[in-house]
Amino acid sequence: MNTKDLELLSAYVDGELNEKERQEIEQKIKLSPVLQQELVKLQKLKKLTYSSVKKLEESPYFETRLMASLSSEKTSGSKLKKWSPAIGFGLLAVFLMIFLKYNPDAIDEIVQQQQSNLAGFYKENLKPLLFAADLSNEDIFNFAFYHQLPLDKDDYQVLQLGYSNTGEEFFEIKTSDLPFTGGNYDKFISALELNEKEKKQMDSILESYKDELELQVLANEKNTIAINPNLWNYNKAIAADLIAFAKDANMAELSKIIPGDIPLYTHGNVKRIVNEVKSARPNEFIFLTPDTIFSEEFVFDMKKFKEELKQMETELRKADKELKKVDFTVNLNRNLAKLRKDSSLSKDFKIDFDSNFYRVQFSKIDIPEIVIPDFNDIAAQIEEATKHIQSFTVSFPGNRKSRGDIRVRVGSDSLDSFDFNFRVPDLDSITHFVPFQVDSLIKQFSRNFNFNRSFNLDSLVSSYNFNFSDSLHYQQNQEFRQQMKEFEKEMQKFKEEMENMKRDLKKDSNKVNKKKGIVI
Amino acid sequence: MNFKKKKTKLQVPKILSLDDDFSLINRFIEGDESAFKTLVYRHKEKVRNIIYLNLNSSEAADDVAQDVFITVYKNLRNFRFESQFTTWLYRITINKCKDHLRKVKIRSIFSPIKETEEQIGYMPDHENSDIAKIVQDAISRLPDKLRIPLMLKDIEGLSYQEIAEAVQCEIGTVKSRIFRAREGLRNILKPYEQELMR
């Protein structure tokens, strides 16, 4: 028994041998008890394998699930669609790689451009901040000795120049620790015991720096502050200038009050410093913006600025003039003013007035609630009432004094109108006659037209309005009555005829009964 | 006289319509979705079982089987009718199993603790008297290369030809692998021989 036989035996158990192989192995099995044993073992093992493996339970909803996921897959689109974001990014990356390969400086250029754009944005419309602050001599003095420039006097914001421990210059914008009470300059002058002339000289020194100092700090509405680093030099120059002057004026007192860190300059080096500072005037500004801090060249066009200011000033003056032209006249009613004062009234009324309006407010007015009847009802009634109403006019003859006829015209158009002429008594005495006369007239009318007497006569009016029911209506009624009478007569006739017929019929039946007896 | 015979078209009754795999595939290609459903219904259990035996996990069987039939659905229009549908189907199934195992392996790299612990702690339980459990353990200890053909043969009853096509090897190889699998099993089960062979 070799391995090949065992392999064949295994395939034999599986029924996977061809006819020739099968016969061959069956032959061998017959001859070999070992193979027979082996066959039994293999068959047993096969059965064991089959029986020992747990069978999977059927999945009843398999198709349903499959169809659902298939239909969802259909709607989700193609694979390409699924990967489209990745493909997009890939293409973009490739494009950028190629672009940067041939334009290696592109990014730098873009950054630089953006930087200059930003710088341009913040540099726009810069105005000297201190120009608005209107530096006083006191401010300049404080700047020289306390290194502080007021930026916003209302908020006590100052620009503080300082020196760090290592001797480097810095500046900061902060809330002042010096009170803005002032008086430092005056104290200085009085301490030096300067006379009026010397004080004026001192003033002129300070004023000579004012314009230039104002140009050192610029600001705009975008919260940019541009500071010229040359401020430090100005600081030193002003201090030196002042000390040099003070030294000449009163050396003894100066040495008592001078702060320790200011060197005592001589006239010679002051001139040098001042000249240096004034001639330097670098245009390099440090820009402090909400986003960034950068240093760039900037030339402030003072000429243009002053022109603008001038223009503004003239415009303002113009506007002022215009404003003066407008004359407001306010006429207040005295009574109204009185009303306003009257405390008892003011409980009920509140009166406001100024040049443009006045308004009276009623606070405690009871507005009675009126029940408004249903207007549709009234309209129907009115319509019904006016259905047969017509108007007619009575015109008196032009000459009142003469006796004449009164002509009454009824109806609105000629086809449907009736004219009545009747005599009127003397119009002068109409007040005496008319009641009697008109009364009789009305009676006459009433008989014919069935209308009510409901008017007053006035000797002064020359026309009257009468309301009365339609004459046609009346005529129709008369006709109807006549017809009814005729109908009544006819009915009477018919009745009589019927009774005659009855009588005749009775007579006939009596005759028949007598002749034939009972007829069944 | 004209004896023109009326041509009557013979209509195949619905009940007699062919429903072998090829006919179903043809009907599907012509647009009959229900033919695909029939195919699924016919083969799903076999597919699920092959997956189950391959992966040794009943939970994964359904998901992978779904995946198999989705692939079939998408590619059925390109079916070339050169081999049995089942051959093609089983090959897809085996490949999906391999894909799944690969994914599990990658996943286990990132969460290795539980699974490796189980593997380390794995010992054949000699005290277990439950024969089925012993045989199962023995089978699971066979390498996949031997275990899968054995399972396909003994459990699923595939022919050597079908197995060869599914796992993409020669019939002779299948024959020898099944033989070696049985040899291996017998070796593992030697301690229980008397018990098992009673």
Side-chain angles (χ1 to χ4, degrees):
Chain A
M1 185 185 73
N2 53 29
T3 320
K4 209 199 157 199
D5 287 342
L6 287 174
E7 202 178 302
L8 273 176
L9 201 63
S10 163
Y12 176 70
V13 170
D14 289 335
E16 289 279 351
L17 292 181
N18 59 33
E19 193 55 31
K20 195 185 150 205
E21 284 172 325
R22 194 175 59 80
Q23 281 176 2
E24 206 176 296
I25 194 73
E26 275 176 356
Q27 202 71 33
K28 280 185 181 172
I29 292 166
K30 260 185 200 169
L31 297 172
S32 160
V34 183
L35 271 182
Q36 283 167 22
Q37 237 185 350
E38 207 56 32
L39 178 65
V40 173
K41 278 183 182 172
L42 269 178
Q43 279 166 339
K44 190 111 194 185
L45 186 70
K46 192 175 162 78
K47 267 186 198 163
L48 255 179
T49 312
Y50 181 78
S51 61
S52 65
V53 172
K54 258 197 235 159
K55 299 294 176 290
L56 194 62
E57 274 176 34
E58 282 202 11
S59 167
Y61 303 113
F62 187 83
E63 288 96 332
T64 319
R65 258 186 70 198
L66 179 66
M67 291 304 158
S69 50
L70 273 176
S71 64
S72 74
E73 199 143 300
K74 267 184 204 164
T75 53
S76 71
S78 66
K79 264 188 185 171
L80 198 70
K81 214 173 176 182
K82 195 171 152 192
W83 290 103
S84 60
I87 293 167
F89 278 119
L91 287 175
L92 188 70
V94 170
F95 169 75
L96 278 176
M97 275 156 76
I98 294 167
F99 177 75
L100 290 177
K101 167 119 179 131
Y102 293 103
N103 305 283
D105 298 330
I107 287 181
D108 284 347
E109 276 168 24
I110 290 167
V111 169
Q112 219 148 35
Q113 203 188 337
Q114 289 305 314
Q115 265 180 355
S116 61
N117 279 353
L118 196 69
F121 172 76
Y122 282 120
K123 274 156 78 176
E124 222 175 277
N125 214 8
L126 280 170
K127 298 269 155 63
L129 181 66
L130 299 172
F131 192 83
D134 198 15
L135 291 175
S136 64
N137 286 345
E138 169 80 21
D139 294 329
I140 299 168
F141 179 82
N142 281 339
F143 173 63
F145 292 114
Y146 298 102
H147 316 300
Q148 258 183 18
L149 264 179
L151 294 180
D152 187 344
K153 284 185 180 172
D154 295 332
D155 285 348
Y156 301 104
Q157 284 244 309
V158 292
L159 178 74
Q160 174 82 51
L161 303 187
Y163 300 93
S164 69
N165 294 335
T166 52
E168 282 160 340
E169 291 148 334
F170 68 86
F171 58 78
E172 54 189 344
I173 292 163
K174 63 170 195 177
T175 313
S176 170
D177 40 13
L178 275 181
F180 274 100
T181 47
N184 290 331
Y185 178 47
D186 290 337
K187 275 184 215 157
F188 182 71
I189 286 167
S190 59
L192 288 178
E193 294 160 3
L194 296 182
N195 59 31
E196 202 57 31
K197 195 185 158 198
E198 284 168 325
K199 188 181 175 279
K200 266 186 187 158
Q201 278 178 325
M202 193 89 159
D203 282 345
S204 73
I205 292 172
L206 289 171
E207 263 162 34
S208 71
Y209 288 101
K210 186 183 163 191
D211 282 354
E212 280 172 63
L213 259 186
E214 280 171 356
L215 286 181
Q216 304 307 307
V217 182
L218 308 173
N220 67 7
E221 69 281 0
K222 284 154 197 153
N223 274 336
T224 313
I225 294 178
I227 295 166
N228 197 324
N230 209 21
L231 259 183
W232 278 278
N233 296 331
Y234 272 104
N235 173 253
K236 283 174 200 158
I238 299 168
D241 216 346
L242 287 177
I243 286 165
F245 177 79
K247 215 167 106 185
D248 289 350
N250 195 340
M251 180 61 199
E253 289 300 319
L254 177 70
S255 54
K256 280 184 203 164
I257 58 164
I258 202 86
D261 58 344
I262 294 181
L264 292 172
Y265 298 100
T266 62
H267 245 320
N269 51 26
V270 164
K271 258 186 192 159
R272 192 174 48 78
I273 291 171
V274 170
N275 283 338
E276 257 175 42
V277 167
K278 287 196 172 176
S279 63
R281 297 196 71 178
N283 292 323
E284 193 82 3
F285 275 82
I286 296 164
F287 289 84
L288 308 172
T289 75
D291 298 326
T292 177
I293 294 173
F294 58 91
S295 131
E296 257 206 31
E297 208 155 281
F298 182 77
V299 183
F300 181 74
D301 194 346
M302 193 63 192
K303 227 180 178 180
K304 200 179 154 202
F305 177 64
K306 282 200 169 151
E307 265 170 27
E308 276 176 18
L309 271 182
K310 236 183 210 169
Q311 210 182 329
M312 236 159 81
E313 225 169 283
T314 51
E315 270 171 25
L316 264 175
R317 236 176 261 146
K318 233 188 192 171
D320 205 33
K321 266 186 196 167
E322 294 283 317
L323 205 69
K324 273 178 188 160
K325 269 187 199 166
V326 181
D327 191 17
F328 293 102
T329 13
V330 183
N331 293 320
L332 284 177
N333 192 329
R334 270 194 199 163
N335 291 334
L336 211 63
K338 224 175 169 185
L339 269 175
R340 197 192 200 180
K341 276 183 196 164
D342 194 337
S343 61
S344 68
L345 272 173
S346 68
K347 281 175 194 164
D348 294 333
F349 303 111
K350 196 181 163 207
I351 302 159
D352 300 316
F353 53 85
D354 67 4
S355 55
N356 292 323
F357 76 102
Y358 70 83
R359 178 202 295 152
V360 181
Q361 281 184 345
F362 303 95
S363 54
K364 286 180 195 163
I365 297 283
D366 287 329
I367 299 167
E369 269 189 40
I370 301 163
V371 182
I372 299 166
D374 188 359
F375 211 77
N376 287 337
D377 262 20
I378 301 173
Q381 280 176 28
I382 291 172
E383 204 183 325
E384 187 62 34
T386 54
K387 219 172 193 174
H388 303 299
I389 288 175
Q390 289 185 0
S391 66
F392 66 92
T393 54
V394 179
S395 51
F396 291 89
N399 190 356
R400 282 188 182 186
K401 280 180 181 174
S402 71
R403 289 167 65 106
D405 292 342
I406 291 176
R407 205 163 147 265
V408 180
R409 192 180 172 84
V410 182
S412 50
D413 60 75
S414 56
L415 281 175
D416 205 22
S417 65
F418 304 90
D419 286 344
F420 301 93
N421 292 316
F422 49 94
R423 298 185 75 81
V424 211
D426 186 1
L427 279 170
D428 280 342
S429 56
I430 202 164
T431 40
H432 308 290
F433 285 98
V434 163
F436 161 73
Q437 286 281 346
V438 169
D439 250 18
S440 66
L441 190 90
I442 289 160
K443 269 176 195 157
Q444 202 183 326
F445 259 98
S446 300
R447 240 177 284 137
N448 291 330
F449 294 103
N450 190 26
F451 77 104
N452 293 322
R453 170 187 169 197
S454 60
F455 55 90
N456 259 324
L457 279 177
D458 190 319
S459 62
L460 291 174
V461 294
S462 58
S463 72
Y464 304 94
N465 282 329
F466 292 86
N467 296 328
F468 70 110
S469 20
D470 196 342
S471 59
L472 204 73
H473 197 103
Y474 177 76
Q475 278 183 339
Q476 277 175 346
N477 272 350
Q478 224 169 19
E479 220 169 276
F480 177 69
R481 243 178 257 162
Q482 223 161 22
Q483 280 177 355
M484 280 300 282
K485 264 180 190 168
E486 273 170 28
F487 181 68
E488 243 170 64
K489 272 180 194 167
E490 272 176 37
M491 283 298 283
Q492 196 68 36
K493 237 179 171 177
F494 182 67
K495 208 178 165 187
E496 277 168 17
E497 274 174 21
M498 284 292 281
E499 263 166 17
N500 284 340
M501 272 170 78
K502 250 188 193 173
R503 251 180 272 144
D504 289 349
L505 215 77
K506 264 186 182 174
K507 275 179 194 170
D508 285 355
S509 67
N510 285 341
K511 275 180 193 171
V512 170
N513 281 347
K514 279 172 187 171
K515 277 181 188 170
K516 291 186 179 176
I518 300 162
V519 180
I520 300 170
Chain B
M1 281 218 271
N2 203 350
F3 284 101
K4 209 173 186 181
K5 267 187 188 172
K6 248 192 181 178
K7 257 192 182 174
T8 48
K9 203 176 177 185
L10 273 172
Q11 283 208 326
V12 183
K14 262 266 156 90
I15 244 172
L16 292 179
S17 65
L18 297 167
D19 72 340
D20 61 278
D21 287 350
F22 281 6
S23 304
L24 286 171
I25 294 165
N26 273 322
R27 272 167 56 193
F28 173 75
I29 291 168
E30 280 160 19
D32 183 1
E33 293 267 327
S34 70
F36 177 73
K37 228 171 173 176
T38 313
L39 274 175
V40 174
Y41 183 77
R42 184 176 296 167
H43 297 288
K44 60 167 181 170
E45 289 311 325
K46 203 91 168 174
V47 169
R48 285 175 71 240
N49 274 302
I50 293 171
I51 297 162
Y52 166 61
L53 295 172
N54 249 286
L55 304 177
N56 227 346
S57 149
S58 57
E59 289 130 34
D62 267 1
D63 292 338
V64 179
Q66 294 275 335
D67 205 7
V68 168
F69 281 108
I70 287 169
T71 309
V72 169
Y73 183 88
K74 283 179 183 165
N75 297 294
L76 198 53
R77 279 167 228 280
N78 306 324
F79 185 71
R80 277 175 298 176
F81 300 96
E82 285 165 0
S83 61
Q84 289 287 319
F85 169 68
T86 46
T87 310
W88 185 61
L89 179 65
Y90 297 157
R91 194 180 301 157
I92 292 172
T93 307
I94 299 288
N95 285 335
K96 288 286 174 194
C97 288
K98 283 180 186 164
D99 286 352
H100 180 81
L101 284 173
R102 209 175 299 136
K103 277 183 209 159
V104 169
K105 230 180 210 173
I106 292 167
R107 245 175 267 157
S108 71
I109 293 170
F110 297 104
S111 56
I113 300 161
K114 205 178 164 189
E115 275 164 303
T116 46
E117 256 180 5
E118 265 175 23
Q119 272 171 0
I120 292 161
Y122 179 84
M123 289 285 276
D125 192 353
H126 290 270
E127 306 307 315
N128 197 338
S129 57
D130 184 4
I131 296 168
K133 183 89 175 77
I134 295 165
V135 179
Q136 262 179 51
D137 284 345
I139 293 171
S140 68
R141 287 171 69 189
L142 290 172
D144 282 353
K145 208 170 67 176
L146 304 183
R147 187 176 59 82
I148 291 167
L150 181 73
M151 292 288 102
L152 293 179
K153 180 73 226 174
D154 284 358
I155 312 295
E156 286 309 311
L158 299 192
S159 68
Y160 283 5
Q161 177 72 39
E162 284 172 325
I163 295 167
E165 278 164 0
V167 302
Q168 285 171 297
C169 64
E170 297 293 316
I171 291 184
T173 317
V174 174
K175 190 163 71 174
S176 93
R177 280 184 187 172
I178 288 173
F179 165 68
R180 279 162 57 204
R182 286 182 177 139
E183 289 290 291
L185 262 187
R186 282 170 67 179
N187 270 333
I188 297 166
L189 294 172
K190 208 143 212 169
Y192 312 96
E193 203 175 353
Q194 280 191 331
E195 238 176 292
L196 293 174
M197 295 300 160
R198 257 185 301 184

